Amino acid sequence: MFKFVLPLAAVLMISACGGAAVVGPADGGTDGGTGTDSGTGSGDGTGGTPVNGSISSASVIPGDLRVNVNAIAYDPAAQTLSVQIASLDSTPATVQYRRTAGLDVQGYEAYSIQEDALDRLFIALSAQSADGSVSATTVADGGQFNKYFAGGVYTRNGAFEKPEIGTGPGAGQVSYAGNYAGLLNGGISQESSSSVLLPTEPGTDSSLLPSQSARVSGNIFLNANFADNSVNGSIYNRMVVDTNTTLTNVILVATDISSNGTFEGSAEDPDKNPVGAYGGAFGGRGANSVAGLVHLTEVIRDVANEQEHGVFVLSRCGGPNDPGGVCSQTAPR
């Protein structure tokens, strides 16, 4: 695991000992098989991608994004979150996390669980779109015993509905904007002012101690073309919330939008080096919203083996829930 250290000179340095390694996907790395659902319901949970239907099963999420997560149930109205992750968070298999408002990242609610001081601390960040059509959650522990567990889920209520495509030069071109949040595979120890780790007794051997995931914030912008069925974008203004560390931008490389309104593609740094993957689903009337996940590696300079699990839930520029900001520079739709 890596830890962030603030020296006396107030220059933030990161030790180069490397982060904990992620444990492989719960299903051995597959993306859910080749099955499909009927296209009208919530999916049968057996794998594959639903055709134009609701997305509610983790089995339809690409394996490199959901990683260890088997299921997540998020209710923003009740502020409850239940997680089933192939890991060591608690028992039974599906566990209700506690609302932890002190760890919220702008636009995303935080939940956490740690059974005792020598168990892993899991943090989850969740959000639902303003129209209620899509939601997404990312979850991670900060690492313990050289490994960490993480992943996420995005959901869509109802079928995919393309926006109307006109005849002008920008026909089918739609933009989305909003906040981004992520969790790193470590970074926070008990001594940090951001720590919510349960205290251990003095003299406890350091090899027993769990670490806490550092949080990442940022902004994200997507351009989607529903005539060409493609999407791309950028995550920018990225920083580690707990330490005010500035991080590099991440480019979401152009990829196809499938017939059911989902997408998955690759992520690069500004120098075009591969750094991970992203994916998500469009939802709502006229694809008014989009939710998805990001899994990044090697995006912090001078740090080895760091990984980041991110989440985004965005509204359409010019739509009924226009997020403002950079949307003022996009053509009205």
Side-chain angles (χ1 to χ4, degrees):
M1 295 167 286
F2 66 87
K3 295 180 174 63
F4 292 91
V5 180
L6 186 65
L8 293 177
V11 178
L12 191 66
M13 302 295 291
I14 304 173
S15 66
C17 60
V22 68
V23 177
D27 63 0
T30 68
D31 64 0
T34 57
T36 60
D37 84 359
S38 64
T40 59
S42 60
D44 60 13
T46 60
T49 303
V51 180
N52 292 329
S54 299
I55 298 173
S56 63
S57 171
S59 64
V60 305
I61 311 299
D64 55 352
L65 297 177
R66 69 180 176 89
V67 196
N68 305 120
V69 171
N70 293 324
I72 288 177
Y74 171 51
D75 186 339
Q79 292 196 317
T80 60
L81 181 79
S82 296
V83 178
Q84 187 181 113
I85 185 169
S87 68
L88 296 114
D89 54 352
S90 183
T91 54
T94 300
V95 179
Q96 183 163 325
Y97 284 30
R98 294 180 288 272
R99 180 75 171 95
T100 313
L103 295 179
D104 286 357
V105 177
Q106 187 172 8
Y108 298 86
E109 294 182 343
Y111 297 80
S112 68
I113 189 168
Q114 186 184 20
E115 287 292 342
D116 60 48
L118 298 182
D119 278 325
R120 296 169 185 266
L121 167 67
F122 284 83
I123 298 172
L125 298 173
S126 304
Q128 184 182 70
S129 61
D131 62 6
S133 66
V134 293
S135 66
T137 297
T138 190
V139 59
D141 82 289
Q144 188 182 25
F145 307 126
N146 291 345
K147 301 290 183 181
Y148 81 102
F149 297 87
V153 165
Y154 47 83
T155 69
R156 178 177 67 214
N157 297 319
F160 169 53
E161 180 184 313
K162 270 190 177 184
E164 293 185 10
I165 300 174
T167 58
Q173 188 85 1
V174 179
S175 298
Y176 300 81
N179 295 316
Y180 166 86
L183 294 166
L184 295 168
N185 59 325
I188 302 298
S189 65
Q190 279 189 349
E191 293 75 24
S192 169
S193 60
S194 299
S195 173
V196 296
L197 289 159
L198 295 174
T200 54
E201 296 179 1
T204 302
D205 192 274
S206 61
S207 70
L208 306 181
L209 302 180
S211 182
Q212 177 179 323
S213 295
R215 298 164 296 153
V216 176
S217 67
N219 300 110
I220 181 169
F221 179 83
L222 296 179
N223 272 332
N225 190 301
F226 291 98
D228 293 332
N229 294 315
S230 59
V231 61
N232 57 191
S234 174
I235 309 173
Y236 59 103
N237 291 335
R238 286 167 30 83
M239 64 173 294
V240 181
V241 176
D242 305 283
T243 59
N244 294 317
T245 308
T246 300
L247 301 176
T248 186
N249 294 344
V250 171
I251 305 303
L252 306 176
V253 180
T255 193
D256 293 338
I257 301 171
S258 69
S259 61
N260 70 347
T262 63
F263 55 92
E264 54 183 289
S266 60
E268 296 179 348
D269 66 17
D271 295 324
K272 301 183 180 180
N273 297 308
V275 295
Y278 75 105
F282 295 98
R285 184 179 297 274
N288 186 60
S289 302
V290 62
L293 300 169
V294 178
H295 182 189
L296 305 174
T297 60
E298 306 297 337
V299 289
I300 305 178
R301 183 177 299 175
D302 300 326
V303 173
N305 301 322
E306 85 284 1
Q307 297 198 38
E308 179 179 328
H309 296 263
V311 59
F312 58 90
V313 178
L314 313 174
S315 294
R316 177 167 60 91
C317 294
N321 306 114
D322 188 313
V326 296
C327 284
S328 64
Q329 302 178 65
T330 64
R333 305 298 177 202

